[in-house]
Amino acid sequence: MDAAPVRRAGTAHRHIAPIREVYRLKRFVQVFVYGTILGTEPFYWFVLHYSPVQMIVGLAIGLMIATSAIEGAFNQMFKLRKRSSYPSIFLVELGVRASAADAARGALVTVRELLDVSAAFVALREADTLSLEASDGVPSQLIAAFLQEDGARDAMRLLEPVGVHITQPEPACLVFVPIVAWQKPLGVLGLVAPRYSGDVKDKELLVGIGNAIGLSLEDLRQKEGLQQSLSLLSATLDSTGDGIVVVDRSGAIVNFNRRFKDIWQIPDQVLETGDNNRVISYALTQLEDPEEFLHKLTEVYTYDEAEGYDTIHFKDGRAFERYSQPHRLNDVVVGRVWSFRDITDRKQSEETIRHLAYHDALTDLPNRALFQDRLTVALAQARRVGQGLAVMFLDLDRFKLINDTLGHGAGDELLKSLAIELGALVRQGDTVARVGGDEFTLLLTGVSREDVEQVAQRALDTVRRTRVVTGQELRVTTSIGIAFFPRDGADVESLLRNADTAMYRAKQQGRDNYQTYAPAMSAEILDRVSLEAELRRATNHGEFVLHYQPQVEASTGRITGAEALIRWNHPDRGLIPPREFISVAEECGLIIPIGDWVLETAARQNKEWQERGLPRITVTVNVAARQFEQNLVEKIAHVLDGVGLDASSLEIEITESTTINDPDFAAGILAQVRMMGVHVSIDDFGTGYSSLSYLKRFRIDRLKIDRSFVSDLITDQNDAAIATAMILMAHGLGLTVVAEGVETVAQLNFLLEQGCDHLQGYLLGRPMPAEDFERLLEAGAVVEMPGEDEITRRRRIRNLA
């Protein structure tokens, strides 16, 4: 290899202005720092009285530290200056070359001048191979071997320098630098250096040089192809999607492409005349707003240098962007170029997107955002003219049940049907919107209270009408809340909030009705929020207690079980029954931790009674619907293992509503519970949606007769017949029966005559604290049957024995 270029490269970079500035600054810093160090020596000699050895050692250490710091800092500064200046040098040097091949050779000259390399070469990519373009100091046959190395391919793939070790013609380092233009690899620059150090190790510098060479080569290639591009101009104009026409200063059309003719559908005989005025006259007949077209035309032609842009709309629905710019020749304006781009599809897409942003995708009704905008406008108009308006909030009742039982497809079909029907109830200027899954809002303007109530009643009648959805006959209802302006609110937020509050009251009133907002409703909502907060505090502070109500075996009077009933021991209000807080706990999710606490507390209490040697009983725990869906099997197993209670001493009680959402899932859970040995009873049977198929599908142990049937057994023949049938049916299915709510002797005797297995109610024992129930067990766990005759009493005693 030629050693002379190496010596040149070692000093050439010093002649570059940015590098010279750093060298001068380095010399100035060295003089200043070394002078400062030497200048402080007298201070150490005369003031601090250092010995000669201390002086020499201190001076040596100071000079070493200063030298190390200066060299480190300025090496970094040299590196940064090179990274910023070297690529610019390549761009300047190669930009004046006549061709890409000449630029490749010139790049090697500049490389040898700036970098510490022994040799260099440039190879450019052609198809999938690299071909040598120029070399300096390396034989071409050796370069061909180098290009077969993985390093060349890796450099172009990774777009960063890759170094490899070579042994020919002598041991050295070969660095492949990717030549890149606009993130596109064009080839590689090969650098051969004695060591992998200095500039050839600075990847960022080499990347900048590779990009500079690539941009220069790409620019020259484009210039070489310019002449060929000019020859294709006419064909390109005809193939472009934009319509283009060129008009000279005299108003004559000097050029146009086929797309321009197709857009405006101008006859050939008109275009052939070259008369721009005739073309404009023909075009005006096709536009929606010809006056605006002419105004923009006049505005642009007023100034030669003016550029124009606007959008024009055709009567047939098409839309085009119109661009105009001066046509220059040798920096002199000689005419004007007009281009027309079809944006019909884009405008339609924008309109579709705008529509979707303000309309519900399922029903195509206005969504919440558009409804609020229209309400804002309606409020402003109502204030101006002194008229009232009303906002109605509709929420379908138990809509989730439809989705869960018939599928979301049926729910969607129902919503679309209701959207059409609700829209038919209001006037053209009113608004019906879908603001949630099963929530609709209506905006009625310029109406009286009587008008609004009539619309609400028609809405109730419309929704509750029986309809067929996906082959199923459905009958749904809705709850409606109404708020009036200005009585119930003066702004959008207040009206919507109060209409929602009134709708909630309609839900509380049994659904399928409408309610008009009253201030007292908001107070109830606040009370509910306060109750929820207190419930959370009670859950965290352990304010709940359990009472136990005896379950008595009818044939013996023996207490065989107890139902665990929760009470809230409020610090101010005392004991609060569950009917006042359980529904709130279910809605806000607190029923999960509360239910878990009840399950564990009841199980632990029963285990304590057993350990004391008291009569063995079964404790019944009510399980809520949400608790039923939250890993119930695992929780029961965890509690039983934790307290050491036998599974047969626990019974879980569910209502039919617990299983209505997913009967198959519920059946699987109950089967797992019974496999553990835990008893299962079902309460409220026959009071809701259940059917006999439920008793067949769900594997249970006991059926409870609801207190609603027991309370009127004596006075209502229907209730008596139902209770009798339930006892017979349960026995036929191998189930035991417990009747709850037994409060009179007549009820007791009727149930005994019908063969009811177990009894529960105030007549036999009220819910009581654990201590009181424990005393019952200690007393023998036997309850006297009120009103029984002597024969019945003796029979019961024999059974008890």
Side-chain angles (χ1 to χ4, degrees):
M1 298 183 183
D2 185 5
V6 177
R7 289 193 294 273
R8 292 197 306 271
T11 58
H13 65 272
R14 289 184 172 87
H15 300 292
I16 301 172
I19 305 299
R20 288 201 306 271
E21 292 175 2
V22 178
Y23 272 109
R24 285 197 296 268
L25 179 60
K26 180 180 179 182
R27 286 195 295 272
F28 173 78
V29 172
Q30 287 174 326
V31 170
F32 175 77
V33 173
Y34 295 154
T36 301
I37 293 174
L38 293 174
T40 58
E41 288 301 305
F43 172 78
Y44 293 105
W45 177 264
F46 292 107
V47 177
L48 299 181
H49 305 293
Y50 274 27
S51 67
V53 174
Q54 289 176 313
M55 295 286 291
I56 294 172
V57 171
L59 179 62
I61 293 175
L63 291 175
M64 283 190 294
I65 293 175
T67 301
S68 176
I70 292 172
E71 290 299 325
F74 278 92
N75 283 342
Q76 185 64 24
M77 192 176 296
F78 280 127
K79 183 180 293 185
L80 294 175
R81 282 299 177 93
K82 290 178 183 179
R83 290 175 181 174
S84 63
S85 60
Y86 280 13
S88 300
I89 293 173
F90 277 90
L91 289 173
V92 173
E93 291 289 334
L94 305 185
V96 297
R97 300 288 176 166
S99 64
D102 187 27
R105 291 189 292 272
L108 296 182
V109 175
T110 307
V111 164
R112 295 290 295 272
E113 289 179 350
L114 298 180
L115 303 181
D116 232 353
V117 298
S118 305
F121 61 86
V122 172
L124 300 180
R125 186 169 67 176
E126 295 181 1
D128 293 331
T129 61
L130 288 170
S131 300
L132 180 63
E133 188 72 20
S135 64
D136 183 6
V138 187
S140 58
Q141 61 271 22
L142 191 56
I143 294 175
F146 290 162
L147 294 178
Q148 299 303 315
E149 296 280 348
D150 291 336
R153 292 189 293 272
D154 290 343
M156 290 195 298
R157 178 174 58 85
L158 301 174
L159 297 183
E160 64 178 32
V162 175
V164 298
H165 180 72
I166 59 174
T167 58
Q168 296 182 19
E170 61 185 39
C173 172
L174 171 61
V175 178
F176 292 102
V177 179
I179 298 175
V180 179
W182 313 116
Q183 295 298 311
K184 174 186 176 183
L186 305 181
V188 293
L189 167 66
L191 304 175
V192 180
R195 292 171 299 279
Y196 186 58
S197 61
D199 292 340
V200 296
K201 193 176 180 180
D202 189 346
K203 289 189 176 182
E204 190 171 338
L205 172 63
L206 298 182
V207 167
I209 292 174
N211 285 336
I213 295 174
L215 290 172
S216 300
L217 293 176
E218 188 70 11
D219 183 58
L220 289 170
R221 285 178 174 179
Q222 291 177 359
K223 290 180 180 178
E224 291 172 355
L226 181 58
Q227 189 62 39
Q228 182 179 1
S229 298
L230 290 175
S231 67
L232 297 175
L233 178 59
S234 179
T236 301
L237 286 176
D238 282 340
S239 64
T240 184
D242 295 349
I244 299 174
V245 60
V246 182
V247 183
D248 65 16
R249 292 180 64 88
S250 65
I253 296 176
V254 296
N255 201 355
F256 63 90
N257 67 351
R258 186 181 303 277
R259 179 60 176 155
F260 174 79
K261 175 184 173 181
D262 294 339
I263 290 172
W264 292 99
Q265 302 172 6
I266 299 175
D268 291 339
Q269 59 270 26
V270 175
L271 287 172
E272 289 172 358
T273 64
D275 188 345
N276 189 38
N277 291 329
R278 289 188 61 187
V279 171
I280 292 174
S281 298
Y282 193 89
L284 290 176
T285 61
Q286 305 178 52
L287 300 176
E288 284 187 355
D289 192 349
E291 292 184 1
E292 178 62 24
F293 182 89
L294 287 175
H295 173 73
K296 190 67 177 180
L297 201 66
T298 304
E299 184 180 280
V300 171
Y301 274 115
T302 302
Y303 303 99
D304 288 344
E305 300 291 338
E307 295 185 359
Y309 164 79
D310 64 337
T311 301
I312 56 178
H313 297 273
F314 284 67
K315 293 178 180 178
D316 59 9
R318 292 179 297 157
F320 284 80
E321 290 178 336
R322 176 174 59 168
Y323 298 88
S324 176
Q325 61 183 17
H327 177 208
R328 293 182 177 86
L329 183 61
N330 296 327
D331 291 332
V332 176
V333 176
V334 297
R336 183 161 292 276
V337 179
W338 296 87
S339 63
F340 302 87
R341 176 167 297 175
D342 191 346
I343 58 170
T344 305
D345 292 340
R346 191 183 80 191
K347 285 292 185 181
Q348 291 175 349
S349 298
E350 290 174 352
E351 185 61 33
T352 300
I353 293 172
R354 188 180 299 108
H355 183 82
L356 291 175
Y358 289 98
H359 289 79
D360 174 53
L362 177 66
T363 63
D364 202 40
L365 290 176
N367 60 13
R368 182 183 298 273
L370 182 55
F371 183 83
Q372 291 180 346
D373 288 346
R374 291 187 179 179
L375 180 53
T376 300
V377 174
L379 284 172
Q381 184 176 1
R383 294 188 189 98
R384 186 168 56 251
V385 300
Q387 288 184 340
L389 60 80
V391 172
M392 298 175 58
F393 200 107
L394 287 75
D395 185 273
L396 299 183
D397 300 327
R398 298 188 178 94
F399 179 74
K400 183 177 183 298
L401 184 61
I402 295 175
N403 279 338
D404 292 341
T405 56
L406 299 181
H408 289 273
D412 290 346
E413 185 176 336
L414 173 62
L415 290 173
K416 288 189 287 186
S417 174
L418 288 175
I420 297 173
E421 295 172 5
L422 291 175
L425 295 178
V426 299
R427 301 163 303 175
Q428 186 173 1
D430 297 329
T431 298
V432 178
R434 182 185 178 213
V435 296
D438 60 342
E439 297 173 341
F440 296 86
T441 53
L442 276 67
L443 170 60
L444 308 175
T445 59
V447 289
S448 65
R449 182 187 181 95
E450 292 74 17
D451 294 335
V452 175
E453 291 180 347
Q454 288 179 7
V455 173
Q457 187 58 53
R458 289 203 304 270
L460 292 172
D461 297 338
T462 298
V463 174
R464 74 164 67 98
R465 187 173 64 248
T466 302
R467 67 194 77 232
V468 177
V469 177
T470 63
Q472 298 286 332
E473 190 174 273
L474 287 181
R475 184 177 182 274
V476 295
T477 60
T478 186
S479 300
I480 302 176
I482 306 172
F484 291 95
F485 168 82
R487 190 195 70 180
D488 302 326
D491 55 58
V492 172
E493 182 179 354
S494 299
L495 286 170
L496 288 175
R497 182 179 64 250
N498 292 337
D500 189 24
T501 300
M503 181 277 297
Y504 185 77
R505 167 55 68 87
K507 294 280 189 185
Q508 292 179 323
Q509 295 298 318
R511 302 180 175 88
D512 193 23
N513 69 95
Y514 69 84
Q515 296 291 323
T516 301
Y517 174 77
M521 296 179 182
S522 295
E524 292 180 4
I525 295 296
L526 291 176
D527 289 343
R528 177 183 175 82
V529 172
S530 176
L531 179 60
E532 181 178 334
E534 290 186 336
L535 266 179
R536 294 187 184 279
R537 185 207 63 212
T539 303
N540 296 330
H541 294 174
E543 296 179 3
F544 298 109
V545 295
L546 287 185
H547 284 192
Y548 299 87
Q549 186 172 28
Q551 293 178 338
V552 178
E553 187 177 43
S555 61
T556 64
R558 180 188 293 113
I559 298 175
T560 58
E563 182 175 2
L565 301 170
I566 191 171
R567 300 291 187 268
W568 178 5
N569 191 14
H570 195 281
D572 300 323
R573 299 166 55 187
L575 287 180
I576 301 176
R579 64 176 179 272
E580 296 186 19
F581 64 86
I582 285 297
S583 61
V584 176
E586 289 179 339
E587 292 179 11
C588 67
L590 289 174
I591 195 65
I592 301 300
I594 292 175
D596 293 345
W597 177 85
V598 171
L599 178 63
E600 182 175 357
T601 302
R604 192 177 303 279
Q605 181 64 72
N606 198 12
K607 179 63 177 178
E608 290 179 5
W609 287 333
Q610 292 178 7
E611 290 177 346
R612 294 180 187 176
L614 299 176
R616 192 182 187 92
I617 65 169
T618 300
V619 173
T620 301
V621 175
N622 292 278
V623 176
R626 294 188 64 177
Q627 187 184 7
F628 190 82
E629 299 167 357
Q630 297 290 325
N631 301 320
L632 179 62
V633 176
E634 291 81 354
K635 289 181 180 179
I636 292 175
H638 176 74
V639 168
L640 293 176
D641 291 342
V643 304
L645 182 68
D646 186 79
S648 61
S649 297
L650 177 67
E651 177 177 280
I652 66 167
E653 181 176 299
I654 64 172
T655 62
E656 57 175 341
S657 60
T658 303
T659 62
I660 192 67
N661 287 340
D662 194 342
D664 294 332
F665 171 77
I669 294 296
L670 294 179
Q672 295 180 60
V673 170
R674 295 187 76 249
M675 288 179 62
M676 296 168 58
V678 176
H679 301 292
V680 177
S681 64
I682 187 167
D683 193 10
D684 297 344
F685 185 81
T687 61
Y689 296 98
S690 59
S691 63
L692 296 180
S693 64
Y694 272 59
L695 296 181
K696 179 180 178 181
R697 177 182 299 183
F698 300 139
R699 304 296 298 171
I700 62 174
D701 300 285
R702 187 155 63 166
L703 182 67
K704 256 195 171 185
I705 301 177
D706 188 74
R707 67 178 64 251
S708 63
F709 297 124
V710 174
S711 61
D712 295 327
L713 277 176
I714 308 304
T715 59
D716 191 323
Q717 293 182 354
N718 291 330
D719 285 350
I722 291 173
T724 302
M726 291 178 68
I727 293 172
L728 292 174
M729 175 186 64
H731 288 167
L733 294 173
L735 308 177
T736 59
V737 181
V738 57
E740 63 179 357
V742 181
E743 298 180 355
T744 68
V745 173
Q747 293 170 352
L748 173 65
N749 291 331
F750 178 89
L751 292 169
L752 290 174
E753 291 174 3
Q754 303 306 319
C756 184
D757 302 293
H758 296 88
L759 306 168
Q760 178 180 343
Y762 284 2
L763 184 67
L764 304 171
R766 291 175 174 270
M768 60 192 73
E771 298 81 5
D772 296 343
F773 191 86
E774 184 176 326
R775 283 192 285 271
L776 278 180
L777 296 180
E778 291 173 344
V782 177
V783 175
E784 290 295 330
M785 295 291 189
E788 64 180 346
D789 55 28
E790 183 62 23
I791 296 175
T792 304
R793 190 179 69 82
R794 290 178 180 179
R795 184 186 304 117
R796 177 173 60 80
I797 293 175
R798 285 197 303 271
N799 293 336
L800 185 61

